[in-house]
PDB file of all heavy atoms in Angstrom:
ATOM      1  N   LEU A   1       0.825  -1.211   0.000  1.00  0.00           N
ATOM      2  CA  LEU A   1       0.000   0.000   0.000  1.00  0.00           C
ATOM      3  C   LEU A   1       0.860   1.262   0.000  1.00  0.00           C
ATOM      4  O   LEU A   1       1.927   1.313   0.611  1.00  0.00           O
ATOM      5  CB  LEU A   1      -0.928   0.004   1.216  1.00  0.00           C
ATOM      6  CG  LEU A   1      -1.834  -1.213   1.374  1.00  0.00           C
ATOM      7  CD1 LEU A   1      -2.759  -1.033   2.565  1.00  0.00           C
ATOM      8  CD2 LEU A   1      -2.628  -1.479   0.100  1.00  0.00           C
ATOM      9  N   ALA A   2       0.348   2.305  -0.665  1.00  0.00           N
ATOM     10  CA  ALA A   2       1.087   3.561  -0.848  1.00  0.00           C
ATOM     11  C   ALA A   2       0.779   4.532   0.282  1.00  0.00           C
ATOM     12  O   ALA A   2       0.216   5.609   0.068  1.00  0.00           O
ATOM     13  CB  ALA A   2       0.736   4.162  -2.210  1.00  0.00           C
ATOM     14  N   HIS A   3       1.187   4.196   1.497  1.00  0.00           N
ATOM     15  CA  HIS A   3       0.833   5.032   2.643  1.00  0.00           C
ATOM     16  C   HIS A   3       1.590   6.363   2.655  1.00  0.00           C
ATOM     17  O   HIS A   3       1.180   7.294   3.345  1.00  0.00           O
ATOM     18  CB  HIS A   3       1.070   4.272   3.951  1.00  0.00           C
ATOM     19  CG  HIS A   3       2.505   4.093   4.320  1.00  0.00           C
ATOM     20  ND1 HIS A   3       3.391   3.412   3.524  1.00  0.00           N
ATOM     21  CD2 HIS A   3       3.210   4.510   5.413  1.00  0.00           C
ATOM     22  CE1 HIS A   3       4.573   3.410   4.103  1.00  0.00           C
ATOM     23  NE2 HIS A   3       4.497   4.072   5.246  1.00  0.00           N
ATOM     24  N   LEU A   4       2.674   6.472   1.887  1.00  0.00           N
ATOM     25  CA  LEU A   4       3.407   7.733   1.775  1.00  0.00           C
ATOM     26  C   LEU A   4       3.155   8.423   0.439  1.00  0.00           C
ATOM     27  O   LEU A   4       3.796   9.425   0.133  1.00  0.00           O
ATOM     28  CB  LEU A   4       4.917   7.478   1.939  1.00  0.00           C
ATOM     29  CG  LEU A   4       5.361   6.859   3.271  1.00  0.00           C
ATOM     30  CD1 LEU A   4       6.866   6.607   3.261  1.00  0.00           C
ATOM     31  CD2 LEU A   4       4.973   7.749   4.439  1.00  0.00           C
ATOM     32  N   GLY A   5       2.222   7.893  -0.339  1.00  0.00           N
ATOM     33  CA  GLY A   5       2.014   8.409  -1.687  1.00  0.00           C
ATOM     34  C   GLY A   5       2.932   7.718  -2.679  1.00  0.00           C
ATOM     35  O   GLY A   5       3.521   6.672  -2.397  1.00  0.00           O
ATOM     36  N   GLY A   6       3.070   8.295  -3.871  1.00  0.00           N
ATOM     37  CA  GLY A   6       3.938   7.717  -4.879  1.00  0.00           C
ATOM     38  C   GLY A   6       3.213   6.795  -5.832  1.00  0.00           C
ATOM     39  O   GLY A   6       1.999   6.914  -6.040  1.00  0.00           O
ATOM     40  N   VAL A   7       3.964   5.840  -6.400  1.00  0.00           N
ATOM     41  CA  VAL A   7       3.475   4.998  -7.490  1.00  0.00           C
ATOM     42  C   VAL A   7       3.406   3.542  -7.044  1.00  0.00           C
ATOM     43  O   VAL A   7       4.405   2.984  -6.580  1.00  0.00           O
ATOM     44  CB  VAL A   7       4.405   5.117  -8.721  1.00  0.00           C
ATOM     45  CG1 VAL A   7       3.951   4.170  -9.832  1.00  0.00           C
ATOM     46  CG2 VAL A   7       4.443   6.547  -9.238  1.00  0.00           C
ATOM     47  N   VAL A   8       2.249   2.945  -7.161  1.00  0.00           N
ATOM     48  CA  VAL A   8       2.124   1.503  -6.982  1.00  0.00           C
ATOM     49  C   VAL A   8       2.545   0.823  -8.280  1.00  0.00           C
ATOM     50  O   VAL A   8       2.042   1.155  -9.362  1.00  0.00           O
ATOM     51  CB  VAL A   8       0.688   1.099  -6.604  1.00  0.00           C
ATOM     52  CG1 VAL A   8       0.489  -0.408  -6.770  1.00  0.00           C
ATOM     53  CG2 VAL A   8       0.393   1.495  -5.165  1.00  0.00           C
ATOM     54  N   LEU A   9       3.479  -0.108  -8.172  1.00  0.00           N
ATOM     55  CA  LEU A   9       3.973  -0.869  -9.319  1.00  0.00           C
ATOM     56  C   LEU A   9       3.319  -2.242  -9.312  1.00  0.00           C
ATOM     57  O   LEU A   9       3.662  -3.099  -8.497  1.00  0.00           O
ATOM     58  CB  LEU A   9       5.503  -1.003  -9.243  1.00  0.00           C
ATOM     59  CG  LEU A   9       6.154  -1.980 -10.213  1.00  0.00           C
ATOM     60  CD1 LEU A   9       5.884  -1.600 -11.664  1.00  0.00           C
ATOM     61  CD2 LEU A   9       7.658  -2.067  -9.943  1.00  0.00           C
ATOM     62  N   SER A  10       2.366  -2.442 -10.205  1.00  0.00           N
ATOM     63  CA  SER A  10       1.669  -3.725 -10.285  1.00  0.00           C
ATOM     64  C   SER A  10       2.431  -4.668 -11.204  1.00  0.00           C
ATOM     65  O   SER A  10       2.787  -4.307 -12.331  1.00  0.00           O
ATOM     66  CB  SER A  10       0.251  -3.520 -10.818  1.00  0.00           C
ATOM     67  OG  SER A  10      -0.338  -4.770 -11.119  1.00  0.00           O
ATOM     68  N   LEU A  11       2.663  -5.882 -10.707  1.00  0.00           N
ATOM     69  CA  LEU A  11       3.345  -6.919 -11.497  1.00  0.00           C
ATOM     70  C   LEU A  11       2.351  -7.895 -12.125  1.00  0.00           C
ATOM     71  O   LEU A  11       2.769  -8.918 -12.692  1.00  0.00           O
ATOM     72  CB  LEU A  11       4.336  -7.687 -10.611  1.00  0.00           C
ATOM     73  CG  LEU A  11       5.685  -7.045 -10.254  1.00  0.00           C
ATOM     74  CD1 LEU A  11       6.482  -6.746 -11.509  1.00  0.00           C
ATOM     75  CD2 LEU A  11       5.548  -5.839  -9.380  1.00  0.00           C
ATOM     76  N   GLN A  12       1.040  -7.597 -12.068  1.00  0.00           N
ATOM     77  CA  GLN A  12       0.052  -8.597 -12.445  1.00  0.00           C
ATOM     78  C   GLN A  12       0.073  -8.946 -13.935  1.00  0.00           C
ATOM     79  O   GLN A  12      -0.403 -10.021 -14.324  1.00  0.00           O
ATOM     80  CB  GLN A  12      -1.349  -8.128 -12.027  1.00  0.00           C
ATOM     81  CG  GLN A  12      -1.843  -6.879 -12.711  1.00  0.00           C
ATOM     82  CD  GLN A  12      -3.023  -6.247 -11.988  1.00  0.00           C
ATOM     83  OE1 GLN A  12      -2.860  -5.251 -11.284  1.00  0.00           O
ATOM     84  NE2 GLN A  12      -4.183  -6.820 -12.135  1.00  0.00           N
ATOM     85  N   ASP A  13       0.635  -8.067 -14.768  1.00  0.00           N
ATOM     86  CA  ASP A  13       0.699  -8.379 -16.199  1.00  0.00           C
ATOM     87  C   ASP A  13       1.970  -9.116 -16.593  1.00  0.00           C
ATOM     88  O   ASP A  13       2.103  -9.531 -17.753  1.00  0.00           O
ATOM     89  CB  ASP A  13       0.567  -7.096 -17.020  1.00  0.00           C
ATOM     90  CG  ASP A  13      -0.826  -6.496 -16.934  1.00  0.00           C
ATOM     91  OD1 ASP A  13      -1.780  -7.256 -16.667  1.00  0.00           O
ATOM     92  OD2 ASP A  13      -0.975  -5.279 -17.130  1.00  0.00           O
ATOM     93  N   LEU A  14       2.897  -9.285 -15.664  1.00  0.00           N
ATOM     94  CA  LEU A  14       4.041 -10.158 -15.906  1.00  0.00           C
ATOM     95  C   LEU A  14       3.607 -11.561 -15.491  1.00  0.00           C
ATOM     96  O   LEU A  14       3.899 -12.036 -14.391  1.00  0.00           O
ATOM     97  CB  LEU A  14       5.263  -9.705 -15.093  1.00  0.00           C
ATOM     98  CG  LEU A  14       6.175  -8.653 -15.727  1.00  0.00           C
ATOM     99  CD1 LEU A  14       5.438  -7.353 -15.939  1.00  0.00           C
ATOM    100  CD2 LEU A  14       7.404  -8.427 -14.849  1.00  0.00           C
ATOM    101  N   ASN A  15       2.871 -12.231 -16.361  1.00  0.00           N
ATOM    102  CA  ASN A  15       2.153 -13.439 -15.953  1.00  0.00           C
ATOM    103  C   ASN A  15       2.377 -14.634 -16.874  1.00  0.00           C
ATOM    104  O   ASN A  15       1.492 -15.458 -17.058  1.00  0.00           O
ATOM    105  CB  ASN A  15       0.659 -13.142 -15.845  1.00  0.00           C
ATOM    106  CG  ASN A  15       0.100 -12.541 -17.118  1.00  0.00           C
ATOM    107  OD1 ASN A  15       0.719 -12.619 -18.186  1.00  0.00           O
ATOM    108  ND2 ASN A  15      -1.081 -11.936 -17.028  1.00  0.00           N
ATOM    109  N   ARG A  16       3.594 -14.723 -17.428  1.00  0.00           N
ATOM    110  CA  ARG A  16       3.899 -15.852 -18.304  1.00  0.00           C
ATOM    111  C   ARG A  16       4.648 -16.950 -17.544  1.00  0.00           C
ATOM    112  O   ARG A  16       5.485 -16.665 -16.691  1.00  0.00           O
ATOM    113  CB  ARG A  16       4.777 -15.406 -19.472  1.00  0.00           C
ATOM    114  CG  ARG A  16       4.112 -14.473 -20.464  1.00  0.00           C
ATOM    115  CD  ARG A  16       5.066 -14.158 -21.608  1.00  0.00           C
ATOM    116  NE  ARG A  16       6.318 -13.608 -21.113  1.00  0.00           N
ATOM    117  CZ  ARG A  16       7.537 -14.029 -21.488  1.00  0.00           C
ATOM    118  NH1 ARG A  16       7.664 -15.028 -22.343  1.00  0.00           N
ATOM    119  NH2 ARG A  16       8.625 -13.454 -21.005  1.00  0.00           N
ATOM    120  N   ILE A  17       4.335 -18.187 -17.871  1.00  0.00           N
ATOM    121  CA  ILE A  17       5.177 -19.315 -17.470  1.00  0.00           C
ATOM    122  C   ILE A  17       6.204 -19.470 -18.576  1.00  0.00           C
ATOM    123  O   ILE A  17       5.881 -19.851 -19.699  1.00  0.00           O
ATOM    124  CB  ILE A  17       4.349 -20.590 -17.278  1.00  0.00           C
ATOM    125  CG1 ILE A  17       3.381 -20.420 -16.105  1.00  0.00           C
ATOM    126  CG2 ILE A  17       5.270 -21.797 -17.042  1.00  0.00           C
ATOM    127  CD1 ILE A  17       2.469 -21.602 -15.868  1.00  0.00           C
ATOM    128  N   ARG A  18       7.448 -19.141 -18.272  1.00  0.00           N
ATOM    129  CA  ARG A  18       8.485 -19.109 -19.302  1.00  0.00           C
ATOM    130  C   ARG A  18       8.989 -20.494 -19.676  1.00  0.00           C
ATOM    131  O   ARG A  18       9.363 -20.746 -20.816  1.00  0.00           O
ATOM    132  CB  ARG A  18       9.671 -18.257 -18.818  1.00  0.00           C
ATOM    133  CG  ARG A  18       9.361 -16.778 -18.633  1.00  0.00           C
ATOM    134  CD  ARG A  18      10.600 -16.044 -18.119  1.00  0.00           C
ATOM    135  NE  ARG A  18      10.377 -14.611 -17.968  1.00  0.00           N
ATOM    136  CZ  ARG A  18      11.283 -13.774 -17.467  1.00  0.00           C
ATOM    137  NH1 ARG A  18      12.466 -14.249 -17.079  1.00  0.00           N
ATOM    138  NH2 ARG A  18      11.004 -12.485 -17.355  1.00  0.00           N
ATOM    139  N   LEU A  19       9.018 -21.392 -18.700  1.00  0.00           N
ATOM    140  CA  LEU A  19       9.624 -22.705 -18.934  1.00  0.00           C
ATOM    141  C   LEU A  19       9.100 -23.710 -17.941  1.00  0.00           C
ATOM    142  O   LEU A  19       8.964 -23.408 -16.753  1.00  0.00           O
ATOM    143  CB  LEU A  19      11.156 -22.590 -18.779  1.00  0.00           C
ATOM    144  CG  LEU A  19      11.957 -23.889 -18.791  1.00  0.00           C
ATOM    145  CD1 LEU A  19      11.975 -24.482 -20.206  1.00  0.00           C
ATOM    146  CD2 LEU A  19      13.380 -23.655 -18.289  1.00  0.00           C
ATOM    147  N   ILE A  20       8.794 -24.925 -18.417  1.00  0.00           N
ATOM    148  CA  ILE A  20       8.563 -26.079 -17.551  1.00  0.00           C
ATOM    149  C   ILE A  20       9.543 -27.151 -17.998  1.00  0.00           C
ATOM    150  O   ILE A  20       9.460 -27.645 -19.129  1.00  0.00           O
ATOM    151  CB  ILE A  20       7.117 -26.593 -17.636  1.00  0.00           C
ATOM    152  CG1 ILE A  20       6.132 -25.512 -17.173  1.00  0.00           C
ATOM    153  CG2 ILE A  20       6.953 -27.851 -16.791  1.00  0.00           C
ATOM    154  CD1 ILE A  20       4.681 -25.927 -17.273  1.00  0.00           C
ATOM    155  N   ASP A  21      10.485 -27.498 -17.146  1.00  0.00           N
ATOM    156  CA  ASP A  21      11.558 -28.433 -17.469  1.00  0.00           C
ATOM    157  C   ASP A  21      11.284 -29.752 -16.744  1.00  0.00           C
ATOM    158  O   ASP A  21      11.587 -29.904 -15.558  1.00  0.00           O
ATOM    159  CB  ASP A  21      12.895 -27.823 -17.044  1.00  0.00           C
ATOM    160  CG  ASP A  21      14.091 -28.680 -17.456  1.00  0.00           C
ATOM    161  OD1 ASP A  21      13.900 -29.881 -17.722  1.00  0.00           O
ATOM    162  OD2 ASP A  21      15.219 -28.142 -17.477  1.00  0.00           O
ATOM    163  N   ARG A  22      10.722 -30.715 -17.468  1.00  0.00           N
ATOM    164  CA  ARG A  22      10.373 -32.005 -16.862  1.00  0.00           C
ATOM    165  C   ARG A  22      11.594 -32.838 -16.518  1.00  0.00           C
ATOM    166  O   ARG A  22      11.552 -33.674 -15.620  1.00  0.00           O
ATOM    167  CB  ARG A  22       9.457 -32.792 -17.802  1.00  0.00           C
ATOM    168  CG  ARG A  22       8.087 -32.165 -18.022  1.00  0.00           C
ATOM    169  CD  ARG A  22       7.288 -32.956 -19.063  1.00  0.00           C
ATOM    170  NE  ARG A  22       5.947 -32.443 -19.223  1.00  0.00           N
ATOM    171  CZ  ARG A  22       5.624 -31.423 -20.025  1.00  0.00           C
ATOM    172  NH1 ARG A  22       6.586 -30.812 -20.715  1.00  0.00           N
ATOM    173  NH2 ARG A  22       4.381 -31.017 -20.122  1.00  0.00           N
ATOM    174  N   ASP A  23      12.691 -32.647 -17.251  1.00  0.00           N
ATOM    175  CA  ASP A  23      13.895 -33.444 -17.003  1.00  0.00           C
ATOM    176  C   ASP A  23      14.595 -33.024 -15.715  1.00  0.00           C
ATOM    177  O   ASP A  23      15.165 -33.855 -15.009  1.00  0.00           O
ATOM    178  CB  ASP A  23      14.869 -33.314 -18.181  1.00  0.00           C
ATOM    179  CG  ASP A  23      14.311 -33.927 -19.457  1.00  0.00           C
ATOM    180  OD1 ASP A  23      13.581 -34.937 -19.349  1.00  0.00           O
ATOM    181  OD2 ASP A  23      14.601 -33.396 -20.537  1.00  0.00           O
ATOM    182  N   ASN A  24      14.557 -31.724 -15.429  1.00  0.00           N
ATOM    183  CA  ASN A  24      15.270 -31.209 -14.271  1.00  0.00           C
ATOM    184  C   ASN A  24      14.343 -30.757 -13.141  1.00  0.00           C
ATOM    185  O   ASN A  24      14.800 -30.195 -12.149  1.00  0.00           O
ATOM    186  CB  ASN A  24      16.172 -30.047 -14.694  1.00  0.00           C
ATOM    187  CG  ASN A  24      17.301 -30.507 -15.578  1.00  0.00           C
ATOM    188  OD1 ASN A  24      18.113 -31.338 -15.180  1.00  0.00           O
ATOM    189  ND2 ASN A  24      17.347 -29.998 -16.797  1.00  0.00           N
ATOM    190  N   PHE A  25      13.051 -31.013 -13.298  1.00  0.00           N
ATOM    191  CA  PHE A  25      12.066 -30.708 -12.259  1.00  0.00           C
ATOM    192  C   PHE A  25      12.179 -29.240 -11.808  1.00  0.00           C
ATOM    193  O   PHE A  25      12.341 -28.947 -10.631  1.00  0.00           O
ATOM    194  CB  PHE A  25      12.219 -31.657 -11.064  1.00  0.00           C
ATOM    195  CG  PHE A  25      11.647 -33.020 -11.314  1.00  0.00           C
ATOM    196  CD1 PHE A  25      12.362 -33.961 -12.040  1.00  0.00           C
ATOM    197  CD2 PHE A  25      10.385 -33.353 -10.853  1.00  0.00           C
ATOM    198  CE1 PHE A  25      11.827 -35.217 -12.294  1.00  0.00           C
ATOM    199  CE2 PHE A  25       9.847 -34.606 -11.102  1.00  0.00           C
ATOM    200  CZ  PHE A  25      10.558 -35.542 -11.830  1.00  0.00           C
ATOM    201  N   LEU A  26      12.053 -28.342 -12.787  1.00  0.00           N
ATOM    202  CA  LEU A  26      12.026 -26.929 -12.436  1.00  0.00           C
ATOM    203  C   LEU A  26      11.108 -26.178 -13.386  1.00  0.00           C
ATOM    204  O   LEU A  26      10.726 -26.668 -14.450  1.00  0.00           O
ATOM    205  CB  LEU A  26      13.428 -26.323 -12.394  1.00  0.00           C
ATOM    206  CG  LEU A  26      14.301 -26.294 -13.654  1.00  0.00           C
ATOM    207  CD1 LEU A  26      13.961 -25.125 -14.561  1.00  0.00           C
ATOM    208  CD2 LEU A  26      15.768 -26.215 -13.254  1.00  0.00           C
ATOM    209  N   MET A  27      10.742 -24.981 -12.960  1.00  0.00           N
ATOM    210  CA  MET A  27       9.848 -24.119 -13.712  1.00  0.00           C
ATOM    211  C   MET A  27      10.343 -22.689 -13.577  1.00  0.00           C
ATOM    212  O   MET A  27      10.792 -22.286 -12.499  1.00  0.00           O
ATOM    213  CB  MET A  27       8.417 -24.243 -13.137  1.00  0.00           C
ATOM    214  CG  MET A  27       7.377 -23.356 -13.793  1.00  0.00           C
ATOM    215  SD  MET A  27       5.768 -23.395 -12.901  1.00  0.00           S
ATOM    216  CE  MET A  27       5.266 -25.080 -13.156  1.00  0.00           C
ATOM    217  N   GLU A  28      10.291 -21.937 -14.656  1.00  0.00           N
ATOM    218  CA  GLU A  28      10.598 -20.516 -14.587  1.00  0.00           C
ATOM    219  C   GLU A  28       9.327 -19.741 -14.880  1.00  0.00           C
ATOM    220  O   GLU A  28       8.680 -19.957 -15.914  1.00  0.00           O
ATOM    221  CB  GLU A  28      11.703 -20.113 -15.556  1.00  0.00           C
ATOM    222  CG  GLU A  28      12.072 -18.645 -15.419  1.00  0.00           C
ATOM    223  CD  GLU A  28      13.308 -18.250 -16.219  1.00  0.00           C
ATOM    224  OE1 GLU A  28      13.952 -19.136 -16.814  1.00  0.00           O
ATOM    225  OE2 GLU A  28      13.625 -17.041 -16.229  1.00  0.00           O
ATOM    226  N   VAL A  29       8.954 -18.858 -13.978  1.00  0.00           N
ATOM    227  CA  VAL A  29       7.693 -18.132 -14.089  1.00  0.00           C
ATOM    228  C   VAL A  29       7.915 -16.654 -13.799  1.00  0.00           C
ATOM    229  O   VAL A  29       8.819 -16.284 -13.043  1.00  0.00           O
ATOM    230  CB  VAL A  29       6.633 -18.681 -13.105  1.00  0.00           C
ATOM    231  CG1 VAL A  29       6.316 -20.126 -13.402  1.00  0.00           C
ATOM    232  CG2 VAL A  29       7.088 -18.534 -11.661  1.00  0.00           C
ATOM    233  N   GLU A  30       7.080 -15.815 -14.398  1.00  0.00           N
ATOM    234  CA  GLU A  30       7.121 -14.395 -14.079  1.00  0.00           C
ATOM    235  C   GLU A  30       6.372 -14.140 -12.778  1.00  0.00           C
ATOM    236  O   GLU A  30       5.505 -14.927 -12.357  1.00  0.00           O
ATOM    237  CB  GLU A  30       6.550 -13.585 -15.235  1.00  0.00           C
ATOM    238  CG  GLU A  30       7.435 -13.646 -16.470  1.00  0.00           C
ATOM    239  CD  GLU A  30       6.925 -12.837 -17.640  1.00  0.00           C
ATOM    240  OE1 GLU A  30       5.715 -12.518 -17.661  1.00  0.00           O
ATOM    241  OE2 GLU A  30       7.730 -12.542 -18.537  1.00  0.00           O
ATOM    242  N   ALA A  31       6.670 -13.011 -12.160  1.00  0.00           N
ATOM    243  CA  ALA A  31       6.192 -12.748 -10.805  1.00  0.00           C
ATOM    244  C   ALA A  31       4.688 -12.617 -10.695  1.00  0.00           C
ATOM    245  O   ALA A  31       4.117 -12.857  -9.628  1.00  0.00           O
ATOM    246  CB  ALA A  31       6.856 -11.481 -10.258  1.00  0.00           C
TER     247      ALA A  31
END
């Protein structure tokens, strides 16, 4: 929350799953 004013930076549109690696059991995702 912007209790001092300023700019709220929303990350909700950074919403891609970049990678699902079944061989190495990992996933790279945006925030």
Side-chain angles (χ1 to χ4, degrees):
L1 304 184
H3 73 299
L4 300 177
V7 176
V8 166
L9 169 60
S10 170
L11 283 300
Q12 64 197 103
D13 291 335
L14 273 63
N15 54 17
R16 293 183 304 131
I17 295 177
R18 294 179 178 176
L19 172 71
I20 298 178
D21 185 340
R22 294 175 176 85
D23 294 326
N24 292 300
F25 283 80
L26 62 82
M27 178 188 294
E28 183 171 355
V29 298
E30 292 181 340

